[in-house]
Amino acid sequence: MTIHPCHALMLCLLVALSGLAACAQDDTTGSGGVLTPEGDAGSGGLLTPNPDAAAEEVGVDAAAADTAAPTEADVVGCGECPVNASCLTDRCVCDPGYVEVDGGCAPDDPCVGLVCGEREVCDAGACVCETGFERVEEICVPEDPCNGVTCGSGEVCEIGACVCDLGYERVNGACRPSELASRSAEEVCARWTRDYPEQATVIWEAGQGECGAGTIDEVAHEDAMRRLNLYRWLVGLGPANVSWDNQAKAQEAALIMDVNNALSHSVPTNWRCYSEDGALAASRSNLALGYRTPASTVDGYMRDSNTPSLGHRRWCIFPRLADTGFGHVGRGGAMWSLSRNNASEPDFVAYPAPGPFPTDAILGVWSFSTSRTLSRDTTAVVTEVSSGREIPVEVSRLQENFGLSTVSITLQGDVSAGEGYTVRVEDGARSWEYRTELVACD
């Protein structure tokens, strides 16, 4: 039996439209046309019946098949296939990468039905740790950012960065032992709770007449000296001493401030109760107005909220402060400040200082001081140790000639007890880094 050329054309078109790559143009076996590009009909090939049967199946009159060329509509019997499917002969078949699901074609996802554990996600049919986590003993734990980080002497890695270890401070790139940073929180709090409270019940005894300066109570003066030296100890400085001669002059200055209800380092000669000793002391002292006790004036000097230069604080924690003395009359106070000794100066004085520092001792803005003049380009970065969060700060270089060269560091975010903060100060080629640990001394 010979296949008519028209029948052969129809078979070729049918095969071509179904996406197969081969045509059978004749058959001499007499058994009908069989097309099996990739095996027999049972193994995925296409079985085409004899030409007459094919003509009937697609709706073409067998007698007219010799003269009518088939169209696409004649040979495709699928209708409209679903999304992600194609017509193969007379049926819709899902495209590669898709599988039949509920009458449609869905992506062949190897993760379908796979349940992963905590902090795991499915990837290509396998459960893997989420980004930022690593597998340790069959569970996913946060990745250690310090893996592979090598730090130098006196350094430890924290959140992927090398910082000075506890008990060390960094000066010009090198971490070195620090007495301040080596203190324990218990030691610091014991000193704070012992030295901060006031003991005096009487503050001063009035003198004769309006311009009698009177005398400060000895216990009240001891309270003030103890508090001053407490702040000095907290920032790593030695104690100041008492000069009773300086104290007597400071008493005269306190009187002038009280009776005139004003403050001045250059006392006019027409002010009430003017005296040369009082005017001299005013020019060489921290002055206060409105504080009840001399010890409370020390807190006011350290806070220094209304003094852009932080001059009062800088004199209180000036490394070479020698002989001082407190005067106190009514609401007026004075602390003799301009007396120097030959004490060595540390590389820097920070407030709050390296190591444990009581939160109650932090009054006003933070500050950083050094004996070498700081430039206006000095920068500071404050970072929370536990989180690596950088706290926004405003850095200002302060007016010179008030003790050490100083920058103020105004924090724009909150800090809290029980947390450590790394402070890095840079000024050109010079740099300093230290960590302060804020503690609540209840």
Side-chain angles (χ1 to χ4, degrees), residues 164-171 175-183 235-236 348 353-355 433-435:
C164 289
D165 199 358
L166 288 174
Y168 289 78
E169 61 190 16
R170 189 185 303 276
V171 177
C175 291
R176 65 185 192 182
S178 165
E179 184 274 331
L180 273 175
S182 299
R183 293 173 177 171
V235 298
F348 65 89
E433 181 181 290
Y434 56 94
R435 184 165 76 183

Side-chain angles (χ1 to χ4, degrees), residues 179-262:
E179 184 274 331
L180 273 175
S182 299
R183 293 173 177 171
S184 68
E186 292 76 14
E187 177 186 7
V188 169
C189 285
R191 179 71 178 263
W192 177 261
T193 55
R194 184 193 74 188
D195 287 359
Y196 186 82
E198 297 181 45
Q199 307 296 330
T201 57
V202 176
I203 306 305
W204 69 289
E205 294 181 4
Q208 297 294 319
E210 180 187 33
C211 293
T215 57
I216 191 171
D217 181 78
E218 184 176 342
V219 177
H221 193 270
E222 289 176 355
D223 288 344
M225 288 297 301
R226 188 172 59 253
R227 188 164 299 181
L228 170 66
N229 286 327
L230 172 60
Y231 282 112
R232 291 177 62 82
W233 181 82
L234 287 173
V235 298
L237 302 177
N241 298 315
V242 177
S243 165
W244 290 107
D245 182 62
N246 291 341
Q247 186 279 324
K249 293 181 175 65
Q251 188 73 5
E252 294 284 347
L255 168 69
I256 295 174
M257 305 307 135
D258 178 60
V259 298
N260 289 279
N261 195 33

Side-chain angles (χ1 to χ4, degrees), residues 111 116-123 126-131 140:
C111 290
C116 295
E118 186 177 2
R119 299 298 186 182
E120 293 182 333
V121 294
C122 180
D123 183 15
C127 290
V128 298
C129 293
E130 295 177 353
T131 301
C140 292

Side-chain angles (χ1 to χ4, degrees), residues 12 105 117 121 134-135 137 146 188 201 206 219 244 258 304 347 352 355 370 378 388 392 406 419 431 434-435:
C12 281
C105 292
V121 294
E134 60 184 353
R135 192 174 299 280
E137 297 180 355
C146 287
V188 169
T201 57
V219 177
W244 290 107
D258 178 60
D304 231 359
D347 286 306
T370 182
T378 302
T406 300
E419 183 61 75
S431 64
Y434 56 94
R435 184 165 76 183

Side-chain angles (χ1 to χ4, degrees), residues 185-186 188-193 357-360 417 438-442:
E186 292 76 14
V188 169
C189 285
R191 179 71 178 263
W192 177 261
T193 55
F357 201 89
T359 53
D360 288 341
L438 303 188
V439 294
C441 298
D442 298 328

Side-chain angles (χ1 to χ4, degrees), residues 70-143:
T71 66
E72 183 176 352
D74 293 326
V75 297
V76 178
C78 294
E80 183 177 356
C81 289
V83 176
N84 300 320
S86 302
C87 183
L88 181 63
T89 308
D90 59 351
R91 62 191 179 91
C92 294
V93 178
C94 290
D95 294 338
Y98 293 84
V99 294
E100 183 177 351
V101 177
D102 297 331
C105 292
D108 187 6
D109 186 356
C111 290
V112 172
L114 181 62
V115 179
C116 295
E118 186 177 2
R119 299 298 186 182
E120 293 182 333
V121 294
C122 180
D123 183 15
C127 290
V128 298
C129 293
E130 295 177 353
T131 301
F133 290 78
E134 60 184 353
R135 192 174 299 280
V136 177
E137 297 180 355
E138 301 306 316
I139 62 173
C140 292
V141 298
E143 290 180 348

